[in-house]
Amino acid sequence: MPLPGPDTRVVELRVPGLSGTTGEDLLDAAGTVEVAGDGVGRVVRPADRLRRPAPGPVLPALGRSVPRTLEGYLWGGMTSGGAAKATWALLFPFSLANVAHWMLPPVPDGSRTAAVLGALCRGVLRIAALVLTMLLVAQIAVVTLDLFAAQCLAPGRHCLPGLPDRLRDVGQLRLTAGLVPVAAVVFVLHRVSGTNWTVRAHPPPPPGDALPGDVLRGDTDSPVLRCVHAVAALGTVVLVAVGGPLDVPADVPGRLLWAAALVLTGVALVTSASGARHLPRWARAGLLSVAVALLVATAVRGGVPAGSDPAVEAIGAALLGAWLLFALLLIPAALLARRTWRELPTRLRPWAGGWAAAPVLALAVLLGGGFGAGLAIGLRRLAGAGDLRLPDSYRLVTALWGGGLVLAVVLGVLGFAVGVPLRRRARGVPEIVRMLQSPPDERAAAAAWARSAWERRHLHHLALGVVAGLSLGAAALLVARYGFHTLPGWLDPLSAAGVLGLGFLAVGLLRVVYTAATKPGRNRHLGALADLVCFWPRAAHPAIPPCYALKVVPDLAARAREHLAEPNTRVVLSGEKLGSVLTVIAAARLVHTLSPADRERVGLLSAGSPLQWGYQRAFPAVLPHSALTALHESLGGRWRGLARGTDIFGGGVTTWRHRVDGGKLTGEGFLPEGGWGALPPAAQGATGALVLGGDHWLPDPVHPSPGAHRWRAGVLGQADYLVDPEWDQAVAIAAGLETPGRPAGDEAEQVPLFPDLPRFHLKAPSAG
């Protein structure tokens, strides 16, 4: 570690955790000004009254004030704002299918069986994602071709009376009117899948040592996947228009179109399953041209389809079969991967034993079917044409979602209204709360600790329980529908509840999209949803929003390298919530590319991070424990984590297995010299925080401090980590300027401003 001199300065580069965060909130300043970036990813600094960049508040360290430059990287424009980004909410099922790819368990080194199983899981997942696209297009075709063209525009119907009679009398016009909207949807999906952020900083490929996030690169299959999804979607439209994939048309032109659409869809499925990464451009253009020609030929042929039940049911059955095969293949893949986390504590092991990708894909399938059914039901109600017939399978979907709604309410009530109070009564006021809080704040803090601890431990169990209940309910309904050819009458109330819920879902989504497009300031709830799913690159499904991590991480690393070009500058990457995951991956990129000397001038600060309890367990192949251990060792103890026990979504990042023994907080965690193991007992710092290893456990409510620049009363939970005076202390430690866990009342070590000059010791004059 280079010794700090008189010209040492610290650059703190902050990254927010949610879109919608302003530069003023991020930097805790009255005003900010943009100093770098490209308008999408913006680097801001505090501004003075003349809108000029101003230095940030000094950093108390080394017994003096060290100059600090505050910068913030705002990436919220990549996930929210504008009508185009607002429509991304409708792509949530596709995004979940893509997230499932990144949740697959890691492949152990040297295991060919695990490698084959991993390849099979990825192939089947791509097939399921492709069929999910086909299901969405088929459900939209139900609305445009069946509900609108075949029923609403039928001659003699009084639906939409303002339309001309010629449109009702000519079959080709009715068919074209039904084909154009669904073709427009396919075009929009194709354009969305080709949208990417401009990345100016391209880091070199990582060396052999694996660090967190090394697999998050921009070399995915998106061009090939984009082509095959568009081809399969257009083929699905043709199949629905000619009567469905299982019914051969009676006329020769219809048979030719039916056969060509089946072949085209089969080619798309095989190409997607094989994982072809380099399909020539002429081949992609040829496939798309053939698909478009088939659609045009279908419109010229004429003839409005009579019913869309066979098409929707066949695609739904194929999707359920793909999910079942994926879930079965994932079981041995997860079992073989167990040796990569067998030695870890239980709270660090992957969720559901590495099998969590299957429930996530099941949720994507159920949401895909529910969104389509809810959209159709909502549009039928908005049109005031309740006599229009929908496919019989929609009754299964509505009954299923009605049951899921009841199950979610029951589990939620049992968990939050019963589980949390029981935990609080059983434990009373935890000893660690007594160590952190003053007596007047103990009760409020203990209640918040109990609630947040229960949610961090069991929130994924609640989600898995709802998905499992929905899956079992779907299987039971399918057996009842196709085994006994009838559904019991007691399902009618569930079906009614499902119709109500899906109707609200469809209308609510449309309202959210409209509100986000017309009033960007009110779309933060939509941006929070997009933040979670847009983090991951396109791997299983292309028709999802572009990945912002592929731009934010290289930009952060490049900006840090610019500051490190000055030899007396130290850079601390600090991130809150989801921003902490971005800074961890950016720090790993810096470790790969910097020299050992420059690496010692880099620090990392995570505040309220979901990295350990959430991302590390949900994405074990992207953020494995071994890679996080290697990153901590490379930073030499300059990775600090701010955590509150009252924070529902954040927790410790470098320690675990916490317990209070003899009035001391102990636990295990990353060791500065490498590896992980038992840590020395926590020391109480000058601000009242308990510093255990790299984690700073903060009191909440915050202790009033006379030297603090700002203070907030009450339990803060996951909000406003900047008000805690421990933030500056953690920044100083991450910059290598302070020692962790300096007790309250200790004098800071005085470092001379000019260490090279000789020192003179003056003796006090004697009394004589």
Side-chain angles (χ1 to χ4, degrees):
M1 167 65 67
L3 292 176
D7 52 354
T8 295
R9 76 182 183 104
V10 175
V11 175
E12 184 185 348
L13 185 54
R14 292 179 182 172
V15 183
L18 288 176
S19 63
T21 303
T22 64
E24 290 76 12
D25 291 337
L26 179 62
L27 301 183
D28 203 16
T32 59
V33 61
E34 190 170 338
V35 296
D38 55 6
V40 178
R42 301 186 298 120
V43 180
V44 296
R45 285 187 184 178
D48 60 14
R49 294 182 178 179
L50 298 179
R51 301 294 296 170
R52 297 174 300 187
V58 295
L59 185 66
L62 305 172
R64 58 185 175 91
S65 297
V66 177
R68 171 170 53 175
T69 300
L70 272 184
E71 288 189 349
Y73 185 94
L74 299 176
W75 51 271
M78 302 182 200
T79 59
S80 61
K85 296 185 182 69
T87 58
W88 290 350
L90 302 175
L91 305 178
F92 189 59
F94 296 164
S95 299
L96 277 180
N98 189 72
V99 169
H101 169 89
W102 298 103
M103 298 180 73
L104 291 174
V107 177
D109 295 334
S111 176
R112 297 184 60 182
T113 304
V116 171
L117 284 172
L120 289 175
C121 287
R122 290 189 293 272
V124 176
L125 181 57
R126 284 191 293 266
I127 290 177
L130 183 63
V131 181
L132 189 61
T133 299
M134 296 169 61
L135 178 63
L136 174 69
V137 172
Q139 289 178 322
I140 295 177
V142 168
V143 176
T144 61
L145 288 174
D146 189 352
L147 207 65
F148 176 67
Q151 299 184 56
C152 189
L153 296 184
R157 292 293 294 265
H158 297 287
C159 179
L160 300 177
L163 295 177
D165 293 336
R166 178 174 175 80
L167 182 60
R168 300 178 184 273
D169 297 334
V170 181
Q172 285 184 335
L173 290 180
R174 293 167 57 197
L175 181 61
T176 303
L179 288 176
V180 169
V182 68
V185 170
V186 176
F187 175 75
V188 170
L189 291 178
H190 186 64
R191 290 299 301 267
V192 167
S193 62
T195 305
N196 286 293
W197 304 118
T198 301
V199 181
R200 293 180 170 84
H202 295 281
D209 297 336
L211 289 177
D214 280 345
V215 298
L216 294 182
R217 301 281 168 168
D219 54 350
T220 59
D221 311 356
S222 185
V224 178
L225 287 179
R226 183 165 65 249
C227 171
V228 298
H229 276 251
V231 168
L234 292 174
T236 301
V237 177
V238 174
L239 288 174
V240 174
V242 298
L246 303 180
D247 295 332
V248 182
D251 59 315
V252 175
R255 291 180 182 179
L256 292 177
L257 291 173
W258 177 81
L262 280 182
V263 171
L264 203 62
T265 306
V267 170
L269 288 170
V270 172
T271 305
S272 179
S274 64
R277 303 173 65 89
H278 302 292
L279 195 64
R281 187 172 183 177
W282 61 266
R284 300 199 302 267
L287 286 174
L288 285 173
S289 300
V290 171
V292 173
L294 283 178
L295 188 66
V296 173
T298 303
V300 172
R301 167 181 173 265
V304 182
S308 52
D309 297 29
V312 174
E313 291 181 359
I315 295 174
L319 185 55
L320 291 177
W323 174 81
L324 182 60
L325 179 59
F326 174 75
L328 293 176
L329 288 173
L330 193 57
I331 294 175
L335 291 176
L336 289 174
R338 283 190 62 193
R339 66 186 187 187
T340 62
W341 64 71
R342 186 179 301 156
E343 304 300 326
L344 298 179
T346 303
R347 63 177 303 176
L348 299 183
R349 297 176 185 176
W351 287 340
W355 193 72
V360 170
L361 181 59
L363 184 60
V365 171
L366 295 169
L367 280 176
F371 275 18
L375 181 64
I377 295 170
L379 290 177
R380 185 177 66 174
R381 289 183 178 273
L382 288 177
D387 59 333
L388 298 181
R389 178 185 173 276
L390 288 172
D392 294 336
S393 58
Y394 281 19
R395 189 186 176 200
L396 294 176
V397 175
T398 55
L400 180 63
W401 276 98
L405 181 63
V406 172
L407 179 61
V409 170
V410 170
L411 292 180
V413 169
L414 289 177
F416 292 96
V418 179
V420 175
L422 287 178
R423 177 185 177 91
R424 181 182 173 187
R425 292 193 190 97
R427 299 201 172 189
V429 178
E431 187 64 27
I432 187 173
V433 174
R434 300 184 188 277
M435 297 170 64
L436 284 171
Q437 305 297 155
S438 57
D441 296 330
E442 286 181 358
R443 285 189 170 274
W449 272 72
R451 183 173 59 254
S452 61
W454 187 92
E455 292 194 22
R456 282 197 301 270
R457 289 177 180 271
H458 302 294
L459 195 59
H460 67 285
H461 294 148
L462 179 64
L464 290 175
V466 172
V467 174
L470 286 172
S471 302
L472 293 175
L477 289 176
L478 288 175
V479 170
R481 171 67 175 83
Y482 298 103
F484 302 98
H485 304 288
T486 183
L487 291 176
W490 56 266
L491 286 178
D492 291 339
L494 289 181
S495 181
V499 168
L500 183 63
L502 289 171
F504 277 119
L505 178 64
V507 177
L509 272 176
L510 293 176
R511 181 182 179 278
V512 165
V513 169
Y514 173 79
T515 303
T518 57
K519 301 177 181 179
R522 296 180 58 187
N523 67 341
R524 190 165 182 174
H525 54 295
L526 179 61
L529 180 66
D531 294 344
L532 300 176
V533 298
C534 300
F535 184 90
W536 304 101
R538 298 180 177 114
H541 205 296
I544 62 173
C547 168
Y548 60 85
L550 293 180
K551 175 175 174 58
V552 174
V553 170
D555 283 357
L556 289 175
R559 187 65 178 174
R561 283 193 293 268
E562 290 180 18
H563 290 299
L564 290 171
E566 301 179 17
N568 298 310
T569 298
R570 304 181 181 212
V571 175
V572 176
L573 298 172
S574 59
E576 284 192 82
K577 307 176 185 69
L578 184 57
S580 65
V581 183
L582 293 168
T583 55
V584 165
I585 300 175
R589 298 283 173 91
L590 290 173
V591 167
H592 277 317
T593 56
L594 294 177
S595 65
D598 289 340
R599 192 185 304 165
E600 293 181 346
R601 295 187 287 129
V602 175
L604 179 61
L605 172 61
S606 306
S609 176
L611 177 66
Q612 184 187 101
W613 78 269
Y615 277 74
Q616 180 181 348
R617 303 185 67 186
F619 308 99
V622 181
L623 299 164
H625 185 77
S626 58
L628 295 171
T629 305
L631 176 62
H632 187 273
E633 180 181 357
S634 300
L635 294 177
R638 297 186 305 281
W639 181 1
R640 317 307 300 175
L642 299 182
R644 294 187 181 123
T646 57
D647 189 345
I648 294 173
F649 301 106
V653 290
T654 67
T655 61
W656 50 89
R657 281 182 175 168
H658 309 111
R659 59 189 178 276
V660 177
D661 188 8
K664 294 287 187 179
L665 177 64
T666 61
E668 297 179 357
F670 298 134
L671 302 175
E673 62 273 12
W676 57 276
L679 296 169
Q684 191 127 23
T687 65
L690 289 173
V691 182
L692 177 66
D695 286 342
H696 301 236
W697 289 93
L698 308 180
D700 187 24
V702 182
H703 296 166
S705 176
H709 66 285
R710 191 160 63 90
W711 177 75
R712 280 185 59 183
V715 177
L716 301 180
Q718 69 267 24
D720 217 346
Y721 275 83
L722 290 171
V723 304
D724 199 294
E726 188 69 13
W727 182 286
D728 286 350
Q729 178 72 7
V731 171
I733 299 173
L737 303 179
E738 283 285 355
T739 302
R742 180 169 54 85
D746 279 12
E747 295 295 333
E749 179 185 0
Q750 298 291 327
V751 177
L753 293 179
F754 304 98
D756 296 332
L757 295 180
R759 301 183 185 184
F760 300 94
H761 299 277
L762 299 179
K763 294 183 178 181
S766 60

